[in-house]
Amino acid sequence: MKMLDLTHCITPEMPVYPGTEPPRLTAACTMEKDGFRETLLEMYSHTGTHMDAPAHMLPNGRTLDDFPAETFAGRGFVLDCRGAAEITLPMLRRQEEALRETEFLLFCTGWDRYWGQPRYYEGFPCLTTEAAEYVASLGLKGVGEDSISLDPCDTEDYPNHMILLGAGLVNTENLTGLEALVGKTFTFLTLPLKWEHADGSSCRAMAMLREEETR
């Protein structure tokens, strides 16, 4: 098997959602002073490649620590959305057979190429309402995207978050490298930290492919 890392590295200069403070990585202990290294990491729970729990948006939504571990791994499918203005129901319907066998639907918008640029925050394709409602009906474990959000950054009501998190799905944002998985069969792993009452968590996201799928 081959592992493909789909995770952005956490750095103090990384993009964060507008209005959020960037992470701080402080050397708490050093080799020179203490004989070992330890870092004080301070960041919001939705920093970098991260997972949204239903509790992120819903008053009575489930938190990540309440989900069983098997929630965070399963059959993945990448929908190629590059060049699209929005992600529509017909785009999904064309892949209906594959989606019925999928546990994680990942949207490849190509926006990860703008990571670190102002353009990363705007113009990325998002689901239409009818498309989001269709995705919510599929019985998935979760969705993910290589953009900063399921909804535009200037949204006021977060309709796609409300629909999909309301259906009990988890959502992994700020993925990278999804274009390498278009047309591939793979297992998606998205592993959040397990902390109490987690509304979200930075995570390590990966795809596991058979060697023949990488050729």
Side-chain angles (χ1 to χ4, degrees):
M1 304 295 286
K2 180 177 177 62
M3 303 297 293
L4 180 64
D5 195 352
L6 307 174
T7 314
H8 287 288
C9 188
I10 294 172
T11 70
E13 302 81 19
M14 70 189 299
V16 293
Y17 197 81
T20 302
E21 295 177 15
R24 291 184 290 274
L25 290 80
T26 306
C29 300
T30 65
M31 292 295 297
E32 295 76 14
K33 179 175 178 252
D34 306 287
F36 61 92
R37 294 185 181 93
E38 191 167 10
T39 301
L40 175 61
L41 176 59
E42 300 173 277
M43 64 184 187
Y44 281 65
S45 54
H46 296 259
T47 295
T49 303
H50 71 273
M51 181 180 290
D52 295 343
H56 178 42
M57 291 283 178
L58 305 170
N60 298 311
R62 200 172 180 185
T63 57
L64 293 180
D65 51 309
D66 188 47
F67 282 93
E70 56 265 27
T71 301
F72 309 125
R75 295 183 305 277
F77 178 83
V78 171
L79 184 71
D80 192 352
C81 309
R82 290 173 292 180
E86 57 186 2
I87 305 169
T88 65
L89 182 57
M91 291 171 63
L92 293 162
R93 287 286 192 190
R94 286 194 289 270
Q95 304 294 336
E96 186 167 12
E97 184 176 349
L99 294 180
R100 293 296 177 188
E101 299 177 355
T102 296
E103 294 173 294
F104 285 93
L105 172 56
L106 310 178
F107 302 107
C108 177
T109 70
W111 237 250
D112 55 334
R113 69 186 183 275
Y114 301 125
W115 181 259
Q117 302 176 36
R119 187 173 177 183
Y120 188 67
Y121 298 97
E122 57 186 31
F124 50 88
C126 296
L127 291 159
T128 64
T129 299
E130 63 177 359
E133 290 172 345
Y134 173 73
V135 173
S137 75
L138 293 173
L140 302 170
K141 290 182 177 180
V143 295
E145 57 277 348
D146 58 3
S147 57
I148 198 166
S149 179
L150 277 170
D151 292 290
C153 289
D154 61 357
T155 186
E156 295 183 358
D157 51 6
Y158 300 91
N160 292 331
H161 280 83
M162 300 301 289
I163 291 169
L164 297 177
L165 298 180
L169 279 65
V170 295
N171 170 44
T172 305
E173 296 176 330
N174 291 321
L175 292 166
T176 187
L178 293 181
E179 67 279 356
L181 296 170
V182 174
K184 307 289 187 182
T185 300
F186 63 95
T187 298
F188 180 61
L189 300 96
T190 180
L191 307 174
L193 294 174
K194 188 175 183 180
W195 57 275
E196 189 177 26
H197 309 314
D199 53 82
S201 174
S202 296
C203 58
R204 192 66 178 262
M206 298 169 284
M208 185 166 60
L209 307 88
R210 292 186 174 88
E211 285 291 345
E212 58 267 25
E213 286 284 351
T214 65
R215 301 190 186 105

